């Protein structure tokens, strides 16, 4: 797990889960297993452990094949690895006879390992094929998006998912560039857009372009919505939802669902004026990393942690 960096806001996540030693928990973004290892440390021991109490259980979801290897390396009978996107959480938990759980942890976004593996095409730092698939068996790649999407679709993705101010111009530039030759690699993409990057803010501009493509390739926001809609049914009363997000699009969905029970509009009320929502926010404001943690782990810079409890 050497190239999986230290888990972001680890202690705050563990505290937020309010772990019960014999409970059942889900880490929906297993990655390098950093959060999962700490959860396992605090659960009741398994077959080899002392004591008459029931061991805790942990389910780790991840669609990335590298994560499966990390789960196997942990080698703990209490851990069940599920090779699937977390949008399928309810179906798989039912399959494993764990219809309701005590806590769910989500560390959203892209892992340091994925960014630092050049051939995955996630990073602006390395030249590689434009891939960006979290599930390497999936069909859609960033190369296909850039080369085949019509200009209005590219405009929509760059504006909505990348929050790029000149999204229309950038979309037109991609269509123009690909008419001469295919945009196959990271450097092809950067060369096609270099003149549209604001001076002095080139890194931020390309990060926004890559974010937009990555979200589209992996259907990240749709998957997050589908997951959140299943959470109230999966969590036991008093169970905790702990979510780390890294950009405003994710955080807005999480915040709205926790506070209103839906993604848009106002919270619904019953005949007596009581809020009709399944979760209660534990964090009034999102928890953020300290300067010390950001210095150790730059990925923590943009992290926002929200915690909610099933009512």
């Amino acid at each position: 797990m050497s190239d999986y960096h230290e888990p972001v806001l680890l202690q705050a996540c563990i505290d937020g889960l309010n772990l019960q030693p014999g409970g059942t928990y889900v880490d929906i973004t297993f990655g390098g297993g950093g959060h999962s290892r700490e959860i396992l440390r605090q659960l009741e021991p398994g077959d080899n452990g002392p004591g008459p109490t029931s061991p805790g259980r942990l389910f780790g979801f991840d669609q990335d094949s590298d994560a499966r290897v990390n789960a196997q390396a942990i080698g703990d009978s209490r851990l069940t690895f599920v090779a699937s996107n977390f949008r399928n959480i309810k179906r798989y938990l039912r399959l494993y006879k764990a219809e309701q759980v005590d806590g769910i942890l989500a560390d959203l976004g892209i892992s340091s390992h994925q960014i630092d593996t050049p051939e995955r095409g996630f990073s602006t730092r390395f030249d590689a094929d434009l891939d960006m698939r979290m599930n390497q068996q999936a069909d859609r790649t960033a190369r296909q998006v850039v080369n085949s999407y019509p200009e209005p679709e590219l405009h929509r993705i760059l504006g909505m998912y990348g929050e790029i101010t000149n999204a229309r111009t950038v979309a037109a530039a991609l269509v123009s560039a690909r008419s001469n030759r295919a945009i196959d690699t990271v450097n092809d993409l950067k060369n096609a857009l270099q003149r549209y990057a604001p001076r002095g803010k080139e890194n931020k501009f390309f990060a926004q372009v890559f974010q937009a493509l990555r979200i589209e390739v992996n259907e990240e926001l749709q998957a997050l919505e589908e997951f959140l809609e299943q959470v109230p049914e999966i969590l036991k009363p008093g169970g905790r939802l702990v979510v780390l997000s890294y950009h405003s699009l994710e955080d807005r969905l999480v915040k709205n669902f926790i506070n209103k029970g839906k993604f848009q509009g106002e919270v619904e009320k019953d005949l007596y004026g009581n809020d009709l929502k399944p979760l209660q926010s534990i964090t009034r404001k999102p928890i953020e990393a300290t300067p010390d943690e950001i210095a150790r782990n730059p990925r923590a810079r943009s992290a926002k942690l929200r915690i909610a409890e099933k009512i």
Side-chain angles (χ1 to χ4, degrees):
M1 206 182 80
S2 59
D3 56 351
Y4 282 85
H5 297 173
E6 102 179 60
V8 172
L9 286 166
L10 177 59
Q11 194 55 51
C13 288
I14 298 301
D15 291 346
L17 283 170
N18 191 27
L19 289 165
Q20 310 302 310
T24 301
Y25 296 90
V26 188
D27 180 350
I28 67 161
T29 45
F30 186 84
H35 287 108
S36 281
R37 287 171 190 268
E38 187 58 37
I39 292 169
L40 288 167
R41 264 196 282 274
Q42 300 200 25
L43 294 183
E44 202 65 49
D47 300 335
N48 302 321
T53 49
S54 301
R57 293 177 80 190
L58 176 63
F59 292 89
F61 280 70
D62 209 301
Q63 58 189 338
D64 192 321
S65 55
D66 289 346
R68 180 197 288 272
V69 176
N70 296 324
Q72 289 168 340
I74 289 177
D76 192 311
S77 61
R78 298 167 299 169
L79 171 63
T80 301
F81 182 78
V82 182
S84 175
N85 188 296
F86 54 71
R87 73 200 309 173
N88 303 314
I89 184 170
K90 189 166 77 172
R91 184 195 318 165
Y92 278 98
L93 289 181
R94 187 178 294 145
L95 187 68
Y96 286 106
K97 306 284 191 290
E99 281 89 351
Q100 286 202 309
V101 301
D102 297 285
I104 303 171
L105 171 65
D107 183 358
L108 302 172
I110 184 171
S111 73
S112 304
H113 169 73
Q114 288 168 325
I115 293 172
D116 294 341
T117 306
E119 61 269 23
R120 299 295 291 273
F122 283 113
S123 175
T124 60
R125 301 198 312 269
F126 315 109
D127 191 25
D129 288 343
L130 278 174
D131 191 323
M132 302 195 195
R133 291 173 298 172
M134 291 181 179
N135 174 4
Q136 290 171 291
Q137 310 308 312
D139 295 329
R140 184 192 298 155
T141 65
R143 178 176 176 271
Q144 288 171 307
V145 171
V146 167
N147 287 289
S148 67
Y149 273 34
E151 189 175 320
E153 271 296 279
L154 289 172
H155 175 208
R156 180 186 69 82
I157 291 163
L158 293 164
M160 187 181 297
Y161 298 159
E163 300 180 291
I164 294 168
T165 51
N166 57 339
R168 187 185 299 277
T169 307
V170 173
L174 288 174
V175 172
S176 174
R178 77 190 191 194
S179 67
N180 298 319
R181 58 187 289 265
I183 301 169
D184 291 332
T185 67
V186 169
N187 281 355
D188 289 345
L189 179 65
K190 289 172 75 173
N191 289 336
L193 298 182
Q194 192 69 51
R195 58 185 286 211
Y196 303 99
R199 193 181 301 275
K201 296 183 178 176
E202 293 87 353
N203 289 343
K204 183 184 179 190
F205 170 77
F206 283 115
Q208 289 174 291
V209 171
F210 273 55
Q211 174 179 296
L213 293 173
R214 196 196 78 222
I215 288 173
E216 175 66 16
V217 166
N218 298 289
E219 298 185 345
E220 290 177 36
L221 298 183
Q222 296 97 310
L224 177 57
E225 285 190 10
E226 288 175 31
F227 157 70
L228 288 169
E229 285 170 341
Q230 296 171 72
V231 163
E233 201 175 330
I234 295 164
L235 274 182
K236 295 176 182 174
R240 292 285 183 90
L241 172 68
V242 176
V243 185
L244 271 170
S245 57
Y246 295 87
H247 57 74
S248 59
L249 301 173
E250 290 173 339
D251 184 55
R252 194 176 304 129
L253 288 177
V254 174
K255 175 184 170 184
N256 285 346
F257 193 77
I258 289 173
N259 291 339
K260 303 174 183 179
K262 54 185 183 178
F263 303 112
Q264 293 172 326
E266 291 307 309
V267 65
E268 294 175 21
K269 297 181 182 290
D270 65 15
L271 293 172
Y272 303 99
N274 301 309
D275 288 351
L276 289 172
K277 57 177 192 172
L279 302 174
Q280 182 72 44
S281 181
I282 300 296
T283 44
R284 194 173 62 83
K285 286 182 168 180
I287 298 169
E288 299 183 4
T290 63
D292 282 353
E293 177 169 356
I294 293 167
R296 287 196 317 273
N297 188 2
R299 184 171 178 250
R301 183 181 297 111
S302 56
K304 285 185 163 51
L305 175 66
R306 294 187 186 274
I307 303 166
E309 188 169 284
K310 166 82 174 286
I311 296 171

